[in-house]
Amino acid sequence: AQTVTQSQPEMSVQEAETVTLSCTYDTSESDYYLFWYKQPPSRQMILVIRQEAYKQQNATENRFSVNFQKAAKSFSLKISDSQLGDAAMYFCGGGATNKLIFGTGTLLAVQP
Amino acid sequence: DVKVTQSSRYLVKRTGEKVFLECVQDMDHENMFWYRQDPGLGLRLIYFSYDVKMKEKGDIPEGYSVSREKKERFSLILESASTNQTSMYLCASSLTPIWGYTDTQYFGPGTRLTVL
């Protein structure tokens, strides 16, 4: 069985600062994929970043990067230079096939 | 850009009614998914389909059924709506027909269903 845990229901960050959202993904699969999705208020959920478990290098997308620690089952998202538009619900998800499991989400507030 | 559309943003129904939620994707994706999103519970998979007329149960299929008659369209059916089915329903699609590879899912805007 797979489990995804997001232990921070809410987080807050000052504009231009850096924030890290935590996620743990537990699975018996040796190869799998991990995702962070963003859901802005009243808007569509969109992909922020994805990580393939067999890759040693952590994924980065502009101001977004992940810290993937496979042995520790940890998959955290770092947002640098936070902007007001980063305010959203963030979901961590993972899967070895097309069926993903998602966490309960972290609501990120960005303070001006 | 991939576009996933859902038939309604907001829907209000009465207990016992049959409810249809429609989802359409325009990118020829093989896989389509229905989730429900509830505060504190995240996204939970109801059903998914990996091909026309093919479907598999997700984690919470009870009280729901689905239909996929055409590749681009995936319908979620509540046979007899109940108040505990009040929720946000999200549809998603992804491309990959290859087993062992997990592709990005593209989501629709969601339908907020209220059952009175």
Side-chain angles (χ1 to χ4, degrees):
Chain A
Q2 308 167 76
T3 58
V4 178
T5 304
Q6 292 181 254
S7 57
Q8 306 154 317
E10 296 182 14
M11 294 278 286
S12 183
V13 64
Q14 291 291 130
E15 205 174 356
E17 298 292 309
T18 295
V19 64
T20 299
L21 308 184
S22 301
C23 175
T24 59
Y25 178 68
D26 195 357
T27 179
S28 57
E29 300 286 345
S30 58
D31 198 15
Y32 49 90
Y33 299 80
L34 296 169
F35 301 82
W36 278 98
Y37 281 88
K38 168 186 177 181
Q39 187 181 41
S42 302
R43 290 179 61 189
Q44 231 145 319
M45 190 171 301
I46 56 172
L47 177 72
V48 175
I49 199 165
R50 60 177 279 151
Q51 172 80 40
E52 295 169 47
Y54 68 88
K55 287 191 174 177
Q56 303 262 346
Q57 192 170 3
N58 287 325
T60 62
E61 286 287 340
N62 301 313
R63 297 182 296 106
F64 298 88
S65 61
V66 298
N67 182 6
F68 176 46
Q69 304 288 330
K70 193 170 184 179
K73 302 178 172 56
S74 172
F75 180 59
S76 60
L77 175 70
K78 186 171 87 170
I79 307 174
S80 304
D81 186 26
S82 297
Q83 300 174 0
L84 294 177
D86 295 333
M89 180 72 85
Y90 287 82
F91 290 97
C92 170
T97 66
N98 282 299
K99 188 177 164 184
L100 294 182
I101 300 293
F102 287 93
T104 52
T106 296
L107 182 62
L108 178 66
V110 180
Q111 308 298 331
Chain B
D1 280 352
V2 176
K3 196 162 186 181
V4 180
T5 57
Q6 295 183 229
S7 49
S8 307
R9 288 301 302 269
Y10 300 94
L11 208 52
V12 179
K13 295 292 182 181
R14 296 207 173 273
T15 302
E17 281 192 79
K18 190 168 186 176
V19 181
F20 292 87
L21 303 183
E22 303 283 335
C23 175
V24 177
Q25 50 94 2
D26 68 355
M27 284 301 291
D28 204 33
H29 282 179
E30 305 290 335
N31 309 305
M32 295 188 75
F33 308 83
W34 275 107
Y35 296 91
R36 66 176 280 176
Q37 180 181 358
D38 300 288
L41 297 177
L43 273 72
R44 294 178 292 166
L45 182 65
I46 304 171
Y47 267 98
F48 70 102
S49 167
Y50 50 90
D51 201 351
V52 175
K53 297 191 188 293
M54 306 301 287
K55 61 187 179 186
E56 279 200 27
K57 292 180 180 179
D59 300 316
I60 52 163
E62 297 78 20
Y64 303 94
S65 62
V66 291
S67 171
R68 194 169 181 199
E69 297 294 322
K70 293 185 177 181
K71 192 174 186 179
E72 67 271 18
R73 188 179 298 268
F74 191 36
S75 302
L76 179 70
I77 304 155
L78 287 66
E79 295 289 342
S80 177
S82 64
T83 54
N84 63 12
Q85 293 179 309
T86 291
S87 186
M88 171 70 88
Y89 290 88
L90 297 178
C91 174
S93 72
S94 70
L95 175 62
T96 327
I98 303 169
W99 185 257
Y101 179 79
T102 306
D103 207 349
T104 299
Q105 292 188 16
Y106 296 87
F107 285 83
T111 296
R112 186 165 295 281
L113 173 67
T114 302
V115 182
L116 301 176

